Amino acid sequence: MPKRRRARVVAFQILYGLELNPGQDMPEEMIQERVRKDETLIRYAKQLVTGIQLRQKEIDEQIQDALQNWKLERLAVTDKNILRIGVYELRYTSTPPAVAINEAIEMAKEYGEKNSGGFVNGVLDKIYKKQKESTEENGTV
């Protein structure tokens, strides 16, 4: 497993747990243990979790806008949190878009249902294309 994917998976597991058990603290020991005490990965996992928590409303709105004939609330918790990580990486990190989308697809294939990979790909691709169009229109390529 690529190193950064470990941080993404840990962030996904934390977000999943927090959605099912709101109000919990970030499990510091779990993060350290699962990324093998690699400080860079610990920081990245924490950045993903805290960044998504801070911008969750905005991220969820982007996901909802990209969904066709679905409501965000109806999505599986796994797919929803994988999409949140993908959107966060697309919008707020220097991760190349192709990498952010591919990593989300791979996590969806591993942790989601049978069709989750294709679903996550479609939603993130739509969000990325909209973001790219907006950036080009504003002249900030």
Side-chain angles (χ1 to χ4, degrees):
M1 174 184 305
K3 285 182 79 171
R4 268 194 137 175
R5 185 173 303 163
R6 268 191 258 139
R8 289 179 183 97
V9 168
V10 170
F12 161 70
Q13 292 168 337
I14 291 168
L15 292 167
Y16 183 91
L18 292 173
E19 185 150 345
L20 296 179
N21 302 298
Q24 280 188 327
D25 293 330
M26 192 177 310
E28 301 284 336
E29 287 181 29
M30 182 191 99
I31 295 171
Q32 291 182 22
E33 183 181 303
R34 298 217 174 144
V35 295
R36 299 184 182 123
K37 300 186 191 239
D38 181 321
E39 285 301 318
T40 304
L41 297 181
I42 291 168
R43 277 193 305 277
Y44 195 65
K46 287 181 178 180
Q47 176 192 347
L48 290 173
V49 173
T50 56
I52 290 166
Q53 288 176 320
L54 290 172
R55 294 177 172 91
Q56 186 170 325
K57 183 178 181 201
E58 179 184 332
I59 291 168
D60 285 355
E61 287 172 358
Q62 291 175 42
I63 294 169
Q64 182 60 61
D65 288 347
L67 296 174
Q68 293 181 330
N69 304 316
W70 277 93
K71 294 281 184 206
L72 185 70
E73 303 81 41
R74 293 186 59 208
L75 293 183
V77 177
T78 52
D79 293 347
K80 188 183 331 178
N81 284 296
I82 290 168
L83 286 168
R84 286 173 175 154
I85 292 170
V87 171
Y88 182 83
E89 284 195 301
L90 284 171
R91 298 278 320 230
Y92 305 107
T93 72
S94 61
T95 304
V99 173
I101 293 170
N102 187 59
E103 286 294 312
I105 292 167
E106 292 304 315
M107 286 188 353
K109 287 178 182 177
E110 186 170 346
Y111 297 100
E113 297 178 15
K114 179 181 172 187
N115 298 321
S116 291
F119 174 74
V120 165
N121 184 23
V123 173
L124 290 178
D125 187 57
K126 190 172 185 178
I127 290 169
Y128 171 66
K129 285 179 180 172
K130 185 175 181 180
Q131 175 184 328
K132 189 175 175 185
E133 286 174 13
S134 175
T135 303
E136 289 171 354
E137 286 174 7
N138 293 328
T140 54
V141 178

